[in-house]
Amino acid sequence: MLKFFKPAPAIERLPADKVDAEYKKLRLQVFIGIFIGYAAYYLIRKNFSLAMPYLTEEGFTKGELGLALSAISISYGISKFVMGTVSDRSNARYFLTAGLVLSALISLAMGLIPFFTSSVTIMFVMLFLNGWFQGMGWPPSGRTLVHWFSVSERGGKTAVWNVAHNVGGGLMAPLAIAGVSIIGTYFGAIYSGYEGVFILPALVALIVAVFAFILIRDTPQSVGLPPIEEYRDDYPTKSKVSLENELTTKDILFKYVLNNKWVWIIAIANVFVYFVRYGVLDWAPTYLSEEKGFDMESSSVAYFLYEWAGIPGTLLCGYLSDKLFKGRRGPAGFVFMLGVLIAVLVYWLNPAGNPLVDNIALIAIGFLIYGPVMLIGLQALDYVPKKAAGTAAGLTGLFGYLGGAVMANALMGFIVEGAGWDAGFMLLVGSCVLATVLFAFTWNVRGQEVVKGH
């Protein structure tokens, strides 16, 4: 199996006069490949949430469906780390496409074969598998970014690429609703209709997988080009080393990732960033209706604005970390988390009856929180050799999902139930403060100057 994923070998260099044109063409082509490929992962990640109202009509309880849904966060968090270590020794072109195809096949099976939605256990297993294959999207994208874009431009490029998940997430619901309509209209004799939430997005994802495979290339050297640092004369370290040799899993884990204090600092920061991200996002509809008197429609508009405000915020954050802070990510993270802290306080302390202030606060949180989410992944790529990028990003993802996201759902629910919303908001404010402090620790760290062995 791993032979199939083996990194593409370097080939003979192109003539010097061909390098520039080929590099420019392939950088754009590869970037489009990982952008549409990663966006397509989001077409088939959260579909189960849209099927839940239909499944409750079939007799499943909210608790049972919530348990099934948690399988995705659990397996995705673990997979992002495990598959990250595999992807560091794999050809990104094959790895990203394989994960997308396998995830789409799971989604198709859940839509086409009633057996796969017949019990909570079976749904849990299917969603666990889906989460596992979903973990094959970020690491090869990270591997591609570090090989094709150098350290002083990587913030902006990673920020633009990161918007793929807002694009994919935004397109998923209309596709799923269209799927319900098509299945209900044309195949109503066989299916209830809701199966379309799984079927149509999965078919679109399979088509995108073909295009992603056509566009992506593994490394510049595999197509006869020099390493990116040499091409742009933009080295991540003062000694001008481009860290090109493939590493063993043992080296990746023990030499470069697990004993790297900077990776641990951002992994722990990620717990608090994710706790704020999901603590605000997942509970916004409930909080706004219970405490601020919003109806369902108003709170769903607020939720939508929160997600989409993340796009310009992420782009600005990446741009500032490249241009203003010259490749240092800590200052941008610090400034943005300070903004999140202020917006969370306004959102919490604003009295009921001022919906405009609540909406502005939510948009501000959405605008500001996705920058730090993106920066932590980017710092993980910056703080290790490029051949260990997937593993480092995977470790931060493991902390973010298993620590932050699961805590935001389970812990926040119990705290609010037992001690009220004020206690929940104290946790959110505390998390903002801790994330801000941890970003401050990385204030002066740039590129791979902290990689051991220089």
Side-chain angles (χ1 to χ4, degrees):
M1 179 71 170
L2 285 176
K3 263 198 178 137
F4 171 71
F5 287 133
K6 225 168 58 179
I11 62 167
E12 198 186 329
R13 284 256 179 119
L14 292 172
D17 59 336
K18 296 257 175 67
V19 166
D20 192 47
E22 190 64 10
Y23 230 126
K24 283 187 174 130
K25 184 192 92 175
L26 281 177
R27 268 160 57 100
L28 178 63
Q29 178 185 315
V30 164
F31 187 84
I32 292 168
I34 59 170
F35 187 95
I36 62 167
Y38 196 60
Y41 270 86
Y42 271 80
L43 296 178
I44 43 180
R45 182 174 297 182
K46 296 277 193 177
N47 313 50
F48 188 74
S49 303
L50 292 183
M52 279 161 55
Y54 301 99
L55 290 164
T56 50
E57 287 171 18
E58 296 196 356
F60 293 103
T61 68
K62 284 192 187 69
E64 289 171 333
L65 295 173
L67 179 66
L69 186 63
S70 70
I72 292 188
S73 281
I74 295 165
S75 66
Y76 180 70
I78 300 167
S79 167
K80 208 170 167 186
F81 180 53
V82 175
M83 288 311 206
T85 62
V86 178
S87 100
D88 278 332
R89 303 188 324 282
S90 301
N91 183 329
R93 181 187 193 190
Y94 287 89
F95 200 81
L96 183 140
T97 312
L100 185 52
V101 168
L102 290 165
S103 186
L105 292 176
I106 293 283
S107 198
L108 272 181
M110 290 184 78
L112 293 171
I113 304 162
F115 171 75
F116 290 120
T117 48
S118 61
S119 80
V120 173
T121 309
I122 293 165
M123 288 190 282
F124 186 92
V125 170
M126 293 299 280
L127 292 169
F128 190 92
L129 285 171
N130 189 33
W132 191 266
F133 296 138
Q134 285 282 323
M136 293 173 72
W138 210 112
S141 301
R143 175 182 166 90
T144 306
L145 285 162
V146 294
H147 279 90
W148 288 91
F149 300 96
S150 62
V151 73
S152 68
E153 60 174 350
R154 206 178 284 156
K157 296 293 189 289
T158 305
V160 175
W161 167 78
N162 204 60
V163 166
H165 78 248
N166 301 82
V167 172
L171 291 173
M172 184 273 286
L175 270 178
I177 291 159
V180 172
S181 160
I182 292 164
I183 299 295
T185 307
Y186 296 104
F187 303 96
I190 319 166
Y191 296 109
S192 320
Y194 79 85
E195 296 89 349
V197 306
F198 297 112
I199 298 168
L200 188 62
L203 292 174
V204 173
L206 286 171
I207 294 164
V208 174
V210 174
F211 284 102
F213 183 77
I214 292 167
L215 293 170
I216 296 170
R217 296 289 178 273
D218 190 27
T219 62
Q221 294 90 312
S222 70
V223 288
L225 295 168
I228 185 65
E229 295 84 355
E230 188 186 314
Y231 170 65
R232 292 193 79 242
D233 192 24
D234 179 16
Y235 288 85
T237 61
K238 292 182 179 75
S239 56
K240 298 209 162 188
V241 180
S242 67
L243 304 160
E244 275 305 329
N245 43 337
E246 299 289 343
L247 302 168
T248 64
T249 302
K250 186 179 164 194
D251 267 355
I252 289 172
L253 278 173
F254 296 106
K255 193 171 175 189
Y256 293 113
V257 177
L258 294 181
N259 69 349
N260 185 329
K261 69 174 178 185
W262 302 107
V263 172
W264 284 106
I265 286 172
I266 56 167
I268 294 163
N270 213 25
V271 173
F272 301 117
V273 171
Y274 266 69
F275 182 72
V276 177
R277 175 188 174 182
Y278 287 109
V280 173
L281 180 69
D282 290 349
W283 293 99
T286 316
Y287 172 67
L288 289 171
S289 64
E290 284 186 9
E291 294 292 305
K292 303 290 178 91
F294 276 49
D295 60 14
M296 192 64 206
E297 198 175 305
S298 320
S299 59
S300 63
V301 168
Y303 187 93
F304 169 83
L305 292 172
Y306 175 96
E307 275 287 358
W308 282 79
I311 297 178
T314 305
L315 296 176
L316 177 66
C317 193
Y319 176 82
L320 291 176
S321 80
D322 272 354
K323 296 290 185 282
L324 185 63
F325 301 117
K326 304 285 186 277
R328 289 179 299 130
R329 318 299 176 195
F334 176 85
V335 170
F336 271 61
M337 282 311 300
L338 207 54
V340 172
L341 172 62
I342 294 162
V344 167
L345 285 168
V346 171
Y347 179 57
W348 171 26
L349 301 172
N350 173 43
N354 304 314
L356 183 64
V357 178
D358 287 320
N359 274 322
I360 291 169
L362 257 185
I363 291 166
I365 297 167
F367 179 87
L368 294 162
I369 194 73
Y370 284 104
V373 168
M374 179 273 301
L375 281 182
I376 286 177
L378 179 57
Q379 284 178 301
L381 304 181
D382 279 348
Y383 294 167
V384 295
K386 57 168 97 163
K387 306 297 185 187
T391 306
L395 183 71
T396 63
L398 178 76
F399 274 66
Y401 276 90
L402 293 194
V406 172
M407 194 166 80
N409 292 327
L411 182 68
M412 188 80 170
F414 286 119
I415 297 262
V416 169
E417 206 167 295
W421 284 106
D422 284 351
F425 271 92
M426 285 172 198
L427 272 184
L428 288 171
V429 167
S431 295
C432 288
V433 171
L434 289 166
T436 309
V437 169
L438 288 164
F439 269 119
F441 278 118
T442 69
W443 190 276
N444 288 318
V445 185
R446 177 192 181 266
Q448 296 179 322
E449 285 160 9
V450 293
V451 173
K452 286 187 165 53
H454 298 313

